């Protein structure tokens, strides 16, 4: 029977053989299994004495006795050592079972069955080891058959999934895992069974009976073979790694949080803009930390109002809720959600009977169409102004300055939300919401701490941006207040100007321009740039501009103006001159090094460049002086633009070098352009290329002056915002010959009458009869003074433009001085008359003496105002 047993039977594992002994005690039959067991073929043993063939010498006497007893009809079972010729004479141990038998002739014989004890003991050892591994293993052990059902499971497996180990026999994978995981394990089992390739660390997720917690297992699978080498199933060893998974997840979460904090440090606060900083926070948080997020900032903060320390805002307690907030940023990583949608944090508390949880701002109630207030029942959209009611988690977060969990009531795709106040320096500046959708892990304690940290970092940056915006706006207001109001006007010039401040990311600069009216219908054109930025640069610009105006009114030559301005700038740059800028905030300078640093800083601030030009509309000549500034540009009709060769000189505040003057005669209709470096230079726009682009923009068909300004700004791509830009353009329009009266008078008494006659005749030709009497009187006084106190030839000039100007020149250097005459004096009242009857008067030095002038307003059709009694008496 066992000789023909099919493969895979017990006989493949237990070595069993048989042979027979005849009545003569010799081996009569020899099986193939005996040949395999003893290593001897049938021809080698048939007809031999088994005792002689297998037993060692010392056992042969006992062996012959046993053979005789067997042939006498006695059964025998025992252990018999034997030699194994096929194994180099090594000894073996066989369990021999001898059964007496009869031959056909009735003679005694014996049938012997032999079992290899070594193989049996090996099986016992394997069974014991298998039982130890399978039954005593602390891991879940399961054997799947070829049909992928459970053949055997150990007690540990049964402890996890319930019942006894035998109860699991015949179950399939679907009885233990949900469909996605069950399908994956089934496919893996089939692949292992088909290919024989083992699978290690197969991660599976599921639940066990009576426990809703998700469990994680690591499973090793390998194919099991029978004794003949045929596959009989797949063995699986499962290890519960839930704790390890949680630890790994926490470690990954900690690493992710650290990475997020590092990213936040690098990305949040790169801009000094409130809205940009809010967007930077959401760029870090979504999707790395959450799926949805939104940022609300106090409306008062955005408007520049001060926020009291330790509170959310000036209106925090209004109506028992929060002050007005504006949604400034939102972000979403959910594909099927509206962009930027965030849960309505106010929907969890009542607000005057409303269920949407949003309290519209007063503007929303009065102007629902234009206030941007949120729609009832919806979360605020970007730019909406809204309030959270007192009972909402958002209001609680704003009021207490502490993070709040938002409960999720009812169906929805959001499963976890945090309302985090943005606190900077004990001041709540706004609120940020972090939300995770269903399918993501809910927020844990570590996530709460990270949310607070992210909000705090952003809050500090937003508060810094708020402070910067406030200072920037103040500096900008100061700077603009120092610029000429409206469109400046000047005799003989058509003027247009532009001033473009740097963007919100750059500090206010020190660029300025000015148009100053000078006596004789002359005009001073000024463009300057204080080196450095910020409030101090703006203040320095204001002081230098004021100094320029003061020096210009002295009617000094351009080079003299710059020389005096250089002294002013150097005075401002010294510690004494600049002291007020260092102590505004109560700062202390404890060390000499800090004091030197402060001096260096002030010196740098008060370095400036400036170009100063004086234009005379009578001669159309313009005199330039330059202090380290970019050269002016001139375009004459029909010509290309050229940069004037004006010696640049040293910047103001350096000192030690004189300034040179250049006088240029400009053609009628020529275009003069003064500008600062922000127009022609930036990081991506080198100076040489910018100057060339400026010349190209100025060259071309004649445009209206305002259009020419816009064309230059558009052509030079001035929207980089890196620096302020000042642009001053003037089109030359000289005074016509008929608007000028110019005479030279000999130094003799009758020249006074001649001057009155010339003035009367000229005014009558200009149809200014209303000014004849006043002009005759004042001309008489100035010519008389020139003859009495001056020297050389006297020159009289009348100029008519927007006003009437009279100038009297002589070669004397002594400046006239107005004084109060005594009662007994017969003279000394001429300049008092000039001051009372004229709109303005003054004197200035000239290269060959001095000029005394007065100005009268042109008549507007109304009767001229007469002098009061007090004014007349003031002369006596």
């Amino acid at each position: 029977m066992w000789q023909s047993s099919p493969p895979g039977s017990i006989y493949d594992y237990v070595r069993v053989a048989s042979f027979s002994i005849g009545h003569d005690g010799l081996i009569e039959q020899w099986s193939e299994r005996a040949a395999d067991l003893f290593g001897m073929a049938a021809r080698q043993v048939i007809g031999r004495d088994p005792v002689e063939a297998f037993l060692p010498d010392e056992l042969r006497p006992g062996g012959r006795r046993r053979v005789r007893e067997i042939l006498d009809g006695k059964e025998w079972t025992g252990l018999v050592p034997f030699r194994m010729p096929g194994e180099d004479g090594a000894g073996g141990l066989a369990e021999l079972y001898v059964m007496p038998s009869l031959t056909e002739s009735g003679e005694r014989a014996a049938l012997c069955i032999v079992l290899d004890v070594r193989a049996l003991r090996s099986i016992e050892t394997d069974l014991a080891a298998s039982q130890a591994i399978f039954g005593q293993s602390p891991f879940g052990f399961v054997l799947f058959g070829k049909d992928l059902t459970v053949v055997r499971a150990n007690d540990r497996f049964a402890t996890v999934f319930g019942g006894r180990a035998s109860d699991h026999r015949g179950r399939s994978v679907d009885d233990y895992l949900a469909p996605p995981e069950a399908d994956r394990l089934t496919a893996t089992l089939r692949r292992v069974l088909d290919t024989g390739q083992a699978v290690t660390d197969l991660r599976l997720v599921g639940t066990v009976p009576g426990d809703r917690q998700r469990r994680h297992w690591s499973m090793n699978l390998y194919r099991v073979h029978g004794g003949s080498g045929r596959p009989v199933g797949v063995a699986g060893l499962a290890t519960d790694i839930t704790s390890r998974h949680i630890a790994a997840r926490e470690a990954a979460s900690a690493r992710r949080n650290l990475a997020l904090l590092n990213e936040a440090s690098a990305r949040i606060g790169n801009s000094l803009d409130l809205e940009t900083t809010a967007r930077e926070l959401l760029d870090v948080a979504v999707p790395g930390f959450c799926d949805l997020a939104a940022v609300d900032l106090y409306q008062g903060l955005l408007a520049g109002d001060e926020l009291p320390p330790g509170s959310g805002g000036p209106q925090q307690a209004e109506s028992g809720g929060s002050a007005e907030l504006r949604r400034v940023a939102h972000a979403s990583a959910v594909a099927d959600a509206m962009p930027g949608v965030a849960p309505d944090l106010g929907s969890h508390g009542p607000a005057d009977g409303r269920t949407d949880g949003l309290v519209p701002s007063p503007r929303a109630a009065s102007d629902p169409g234009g206030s941007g207030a949120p729609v009832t029942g919806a979360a605020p959209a970007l730019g909406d102004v809204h309030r959270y009611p007192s009972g909402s988690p958002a209001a609680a977060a704003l009021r207490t300055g502490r993070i709040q969990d938002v409960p999720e009531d009812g169906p929805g795709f959001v499963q976890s939300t945090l309302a985090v106040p943005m606190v900077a320096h004990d001041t709540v500046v706004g609120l940020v919401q972090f939300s995770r959708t269903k399918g993501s892990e809910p927020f844990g304690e570590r996530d709460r701490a990270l949310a607070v940290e992210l909000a705090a970092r952003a809050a500090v940056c937003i508060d810094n941006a708020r402070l910067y915006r406030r200072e920037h706006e103040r500096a900008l207001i100061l700077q603009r207040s120092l610029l000429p109001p409206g469109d400046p006007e000047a005799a003989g010039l058509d003027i247009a100007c532009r001033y473009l401040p740097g963007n919100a990311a750059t500090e206010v600069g020190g660029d300025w321009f000015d148009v100053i009216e000078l006596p004789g219908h002359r005009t001073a054109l000024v463009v300057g740039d204080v080196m450095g930025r910020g409030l101090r640069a703006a203040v320095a610009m204001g002081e230098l501009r004021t100094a320029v105006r003061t020096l210009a009114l002295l009617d000094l030559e351009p080079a003299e103006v710059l020389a005096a301005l250089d002294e002013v700038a150097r005075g401002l740059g010294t510690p004494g001159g600049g002291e007020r800028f260092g102590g505004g905030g109560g700062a202390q300078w404890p060390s000499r090094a800090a004091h030197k640093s402060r001096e260096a800083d002030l010196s740098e601030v008060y370095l400036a460049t400036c170009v100063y030009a004086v234009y005379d509309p009578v001669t159309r000549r313009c005199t330039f002086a330059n202090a380290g500034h970019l050269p002016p540009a001139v375009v004459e009709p029909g010509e290309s633009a050229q940069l004037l060769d004006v010696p640049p000189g040293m910047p103001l505040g350096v000192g030690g070098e004189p300034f040179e003057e250049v006088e240029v005669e400009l053609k009628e209709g020529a275009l003069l352009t003064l500008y600062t470096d922000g127009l022609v230079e930036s990081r991506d726009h080198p100076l040489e290329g910018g100057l060339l682009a400026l010349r190209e923009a100025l060259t071309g068909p004649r445009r209206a002056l305002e259009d020419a300004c816009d064309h230059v700004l558009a052509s030079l791509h001035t929207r980089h915002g890196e620096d302020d830009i000042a642009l001053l353009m003037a089109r030359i329009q000289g005074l016509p010959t008929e608007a000028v009266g110019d005479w030279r008078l000999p130094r003799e008494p009758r020249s006074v009458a001649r001057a009155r006659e010339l003035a009367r005749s000229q005014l009558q030709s200009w149809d200014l009869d209303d000014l004849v009497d006043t002009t005759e009187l004042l001309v008489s006084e100035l010519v008389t003074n020139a003859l009495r106190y001056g020297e050389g030839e006297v020159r009289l000039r009348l100029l008519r433009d927007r006003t009437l100007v009279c100038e009297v020149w002589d070669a004397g250097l002594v400046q006239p001085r107005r004084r109060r005459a005594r009662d007994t004096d017969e003279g000394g009242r001429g300049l008092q008359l000039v001051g009372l009857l004229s709109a303005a008067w003054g004197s200035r030095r000239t290269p060959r003496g001095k000029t005394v002038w007065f100005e009268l307003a042109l008549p507007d059709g109304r009767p001229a105002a007469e002098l009061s009694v007090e004014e007349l008496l003031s002369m006596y």
Side-chain angles (χ1 to χ4, degrees):
M1 178 183 64
W2 54 82
Q3 289 291 109
S4 60
S5 62
S9 68
I10 188 62
Y11 303 107
D12 291 334
Y13 301 93
V14 181
R15 302 180 69 183
V16 180
S18 65
F19 63 92
S20 63
I21 302 175
H23 64 90
D24 54 1
L26 302 179
I27 297 175
E28 188 176 66
Q29 292 182 335
W30 190 257
S31 68
E32 292 181 1
R33 288 185 180 273
D36 179 67
L37 176 62
F38 294 105
M40 300 175 68
R43 59 182 175 79
Q44 294 178 285
V45 295
I46 291 178
R48 293 187 60 185
D49 183 355
V51 175
E52 295 293 336
F54 303 110
L55 294 181
D57 294 340
E58 63 275 12
L59 298 179
R60 288 177 181 176
R64 291 190 183 95
R65 186 173 60 254
R66 292 295 181 187
V67 171
R68 287 194 299 269
E69 292 176 353
I70 292 169
L71 291 178
D72 288 340
K74 184 179 180 180
E75 291 186 4
W76 181 82
T77 300
L79 297 177
V80 179
F82 64 93
R83 291 175 303 181
M84 302 179 67
E87 298 187 11
D88 299 328
L93 183 64
E95 184 174 359
L96 184 62
Y97 177 47
V98 182
M99 297 176 289
S101 63
L102 295 174
T103 65
E104 293 180 358
S105 58
E107 295 179 313
R108 295 281 185 181
L111 176 63
C112 301
I113 298 176
V114 183
L115 174 65
D116 189 350
V117 175
R118 292 190 308 171
L120 183 60
R121 290 178 177 174
S122 176
I123 291 175
E124 291 176 349
T125 303
D126 291 344
L127 287 174
S130 175
Q131 182 63 28
I133 295 174
F134 209 85
Q136 303 173 22
S137 172
F139 308 110
F141 209 107
V142 62
L143 179 63
F144 295 95
K146 296 179 67 175
D147 59 353
L148 303 185
T149 60
V150 176
V151 175
R152 185 178 179 186
N154 68 349
D155 292 336
R156 176 59 181 168
F157 186 88
T159 300
V160 174
F161 288 98
R164 297 173 299 177
S166 59
D167 296 338
H168 294 273
R169 186 171 300 150
R171 292 184 180 180
S172 67
V173 173
D174 296 323
D175 296 322
Y176 303 103
L177 299 174
E181 292 288 87
D183 295 342
R184 190 163 64 92
L185 178 56
T186 299
T188 305
L189 288 171
R190 183 164 285 109
R191 185 173 66 253
V192 172
L193 187 61
D194 294 341
T195 65
Q197 288 186 324
V199 172
T200 59
D201 198 21
L202 174 65
R203 298 298 178 92
L204 299 172
V205 180
T207 59
V208 298
D211 189 357
R212 298 181 59 184
Q213 180 185 3
R214 289 161 59 90
R215 308 292 291 273
H216 296 260
W217 295 284
S218 172
M219 199 165 190
N220 298 327
L221 302 172
Y222 58 93
R223 190 169 69 180
V224 179
H225 299 83
S228 62
R230 292 182 308 107
V232 296
V234 177
L237 179 65
T239 306
D240 191 331
I241 58 171
T242 303
S243 299
R244 187 169 65 186
H245 176 78
I246 293 174
R249 185 179 62 189
E250 292 180 352
S253 176
R255 289 192 298 269
R256 181 200 64 191
N257 292 353
L258 288 175
L260 278 174
L261 289 177
N262 289 335
E263 186 180 5
S265 300
R267 297 180 61 182
I268 299 176
N270 292 323
S271 169
L272 289 173
D273 180 76
L274 297 174
E275 291 82 357
T276 302
T277 302
R279 288 193 297 270
E280 290 171 347
L281 168 61
L282 299 194
D283 290 341
V284 172
V286 178
F289 177 67
C290 62
D291 301 314
L292 303 169
V295 176
D296 297 327
L297 296 180
Y298 278 113
Q299 180 68 3
L301 180 146
L302 295 171
D305 298 338
E306 290 290 337
L307 298 177
S311 69
Q315 302 169 337
Q316 173 69 30
E318 288 186 3
S319 303
S322 66
E324 289 183 345
L325 297 106
R326 180 185 294 273
R327 179 140 300 177
V328 296
H330 57 200
S332 172
V334 183
D336 57 351
M338 294 177 60
V341 169
D344 179 5
L345 299 191
S347 63
H348 305 285
D352 300 330
R354 292 166 56 96
T355 58
D356 61 344
L358 290 173
V359 180
S361 66
R363 289 190 299 277
S366 61
D367 183 19
S371 66
V375 179
T376 300
L382 187 64
D384 280 352
V385 178
H386 63 95
R387 288 198 207 136
Y388 292 111
S390 59
S392 65
L398 293 169
R399 184 173 56 253
T400 63
R402 296 180 180 178
I403 185 172
Q404 300 290 324
D405 289 302
V406 180
E408 299 300 331
D409 298 333
F413 63 91
V414 174
Q415 75 156 348
S416 182
T417 298
L418 298 176
V420 189
M422 306 178 74
V423 184
H425 311 300
D426 296 329
T427 299
V428 179
V429 299
L431 181 79
V432 58
Q433 311 170 29
F434 299 116
S435 300
R436 289 181 179 174
T437 58
K438 292 181 178 179
S440 301
E441 294 184 3
F443 292 111
E445 286 301 320
R446 184 177 282 108
D447 295 323
R448 290 166 57 89
L450 177 61
V452 171
E453 180 65 23
L454 289 174
R457 294 194 180 196
V460 171
C461 295
I462 286 176
D463 193 53
N464 291 339
R466 175 183 69 86
L467 296 175
Y468 171 79
R469 174 181 286 186
R470 184 185 65 185
E471 295 302 319
H472 186 272
E473 290 176 351
R474 290 177 179 177
L476 195 58
I477 292 172
L478 172 64
Q479 186 183 47
R480 289 177 173 172
S481 68
L482 297 174
L483 297 174
D487 295 328
E489 296 181 356
L493 291 176
D494 186 10
I495 297 176
C497 51
R498 295 288 187 274
Y499 177 77
L500 300 180
N503 57 35
T506 59
E507 293 188 272
V508 170
D511 295 14
W512 91 92
F513 67 89
D514 210 346
V515 178
I516 307 171
E517 294 187 55
L518 300 178
H521 286 313
R522 294 172 304 128
T523 303
L525 304 175
V526 188
V527 169
D529 184 3
V530 176
M531 297 181 186
R533 293 181 180 178
L535 184 60
R536 292 195 297 174
V539 173
M541 175 271 283
E543 297 200 7
L544 291 178
R545 176 180 178 271
T546 302
V548 169
R549 278 190 159 267
T550 302
L551 294 170
L553 294 178
L554 296 177
D555 213 353
L556 302 176
E557 296 297 322
E560 294 178 321
V561 171
L562 292 186
L565 193 62
D566 178 61
E567 293 292 335
V568 173
R570 281 192 288 167
L572 292 174
T574 60
E579 187 68 20
R580 56 187 169 278
F581 295 106
Q588 301 295 324
W589 304 94
S591 65
R592 181 176 300 178
H595 187 69
K596 290 182 178 179
S597 174
R598 181 189 181 198
E599 290 184 2
D601 184 41
L602 289 171
S603 298
E604 181 181 1
V605 167
Y606 288 108
L607 289 177
T609 64
C610 180
V611 60
Y612 184 89
V614 175
Y615 170 69
D616 188 343
V618 178
T619 62
R620 294 198 315 276
R621 302 185 71 83
C622 192
T623 305
F624 296 91
N626 192 353
H629 203 78
L630 296 173
V634 172
V635 186
E636 295 186 344
E639 303 290 337
S640 60
Q642 300 294 328
L643 299 179
L644 294 179
D645 186 13
V646 180
M650 299 298 291
L652 301 175
V654 175
E657 294 292 333
F659 297 98
E660 301 182 39
E661 293 181 358
V662 172
E663 189 176 65
V664 179
E665 183 175 352
L666 302 173
K667 294 183 179 180
E668 185 78 16
L671 183 62
L672 174 65
T673 303
L674 305 179
Y675 53 92
T676 56
D677 57 356
L679 179 67
V680 294
E681 185 178 22
S682 69
R683 285 177 294 184
D684 302 323
H685 198 163
L687 179 59
E688 292 77 9
L691 292 174
L692 178 61
L694 173 63
R695 292 175 57 190
E696 293 175 350
L698 292 173
T699 303
R702 180 187 175 98
R703 295 181 174 87
L705 201 55
E706 294 293 335
D707 295 339
C709 278
D710 295 336
H711 175 70
V712 169
L713 293 177
S715 301
L716 269 65
H717 306 290
T718 55
R719 296 180 180 178
H720 54 77
E722 297 174 8
D723 197 2
D724 294 358
I725 296 174
L727 175 63
L728 178 62
M729 302 181 75
R731 179 159 283 138
I732 304 303
Q733 298 175 351
L735 288 181
T737 305
E738 59 271 17
V740 179
D742 194 353
W743 307 275
R744 297 180 183 275
L745 302 173
R747 192 171 185 79
E748 54 187 29
R750 60 182 181 180
S751 293
V752 177
R754 177 60 179 164
R756 289 198 299 268
E757 180 183 350
L758 292 172
R760 182 188 311 111
S761 176
Q762 185 67 65
L763 263 62
Q764 288 174 346
S765 67
W766 288 340
D767 294 328
L768 297 177
D769 296 328
D770 293 343
L771 299 181
V772 169
D773 294 339
T774 303
T775 303
E776 280 190 17
L777 175 60
L778 299 184
V779 166
S780 177
E781 290 294 335
L782 294 188
V783 172
T784 299
N785 285 343
L787 293 175
R788 180 177 297 178
Y789 304 110
E791 300 176 5
E793 187 181 40
V794 177
R795 182 180 177 185
L796 171 65
R797 189 168 75 168
L798 294 177
L799 306 175
R800 180 190 178 185
D801 192 69
R802 292 173 298 151
T803 61
L804 176 68
V805 174
C806 175
E807 298 176 328
V808 176
W809 300 3
D810 69 81
L813 298 178
V814 179
Q815 298 291 321
R817 181 174 60 89
R818 183 177 176 179
R819 65 182 180 86
R820 179 177 294 275
R822 295 189 295 269
D823 294 344
T824 57
D825 290 344
E826 296 181 359
R829 298 176 178 86
L831 292 182
Q832 287 182 282
L833 280 173
V834 174
L836 288 173
L837 298 178
S838 65
W841 79 278
S843 66
R844 68 178 185 272
R845 291 183 301 166
T846 64
R848 299 178 182 178
K850 69 177 180 295
T851 298
V852 184
W853 57 272
F854 68 84
E855 183 176 341
L856 295 176
L858 297 182
D860 55 4
R862 293 179 294 180
E866 296 182 358
L867 294 177
S868 64
V869 175
E870 288 78 8
E871 291 174 329
L872 290 173
L873 292 176
S874 66
M875 295 186 294
Y876 295 92

